[in-house]
Amino acid sequence: MTVEYESHGLPLDAYQLSPADRRRQGAAEDIAAWVERQAAKSPPLSAEQFRQVQELF
């Protein structure tokens, strides 16, 4: 049994982001920026704390 497929152009050729896509992307960028600011403010981890974090991941 042979299956044939037709191509109708590139799947994402004319795709435009929706307003919801833009909101989600903006929210993700805002969260990433907030995390970077918080990490910059926090004191460095001790060796033991670093080991504990590594175990979590």
Side-chain angles (χ1 to χ4, degrees):
M1 177 177 189
T2 303
V3 178
E4 293 185 26
Y5 297 94
E6 290 184 30
S7 175
H8 295 282
L10 298 174
L12 299 177
D13 189 30
Y15 181 76
Q16 297 292 319
L17 292 176
S18 70
D21 292 332
R22 285 188 176 77
R23 279 192 303 277
R24 282 190 293 270
Q25 185 174 358
E29 290 170 356
D30 292 345
I31 291 168
W34 181 86
V35 169
E36 286 183 21
R37 287 192 306 272
Q38 297 306 311
K41 290 186 213 175
S42 65
L45 297 175
S46 69
E48 176 62 20
Q49 290 170 323
F50 185 75
R51 186 191 62 74
Q52 290 173 344
V53 170
Q54 280 184 314
E55 287 179 4
L56 292 172
F57 296 106

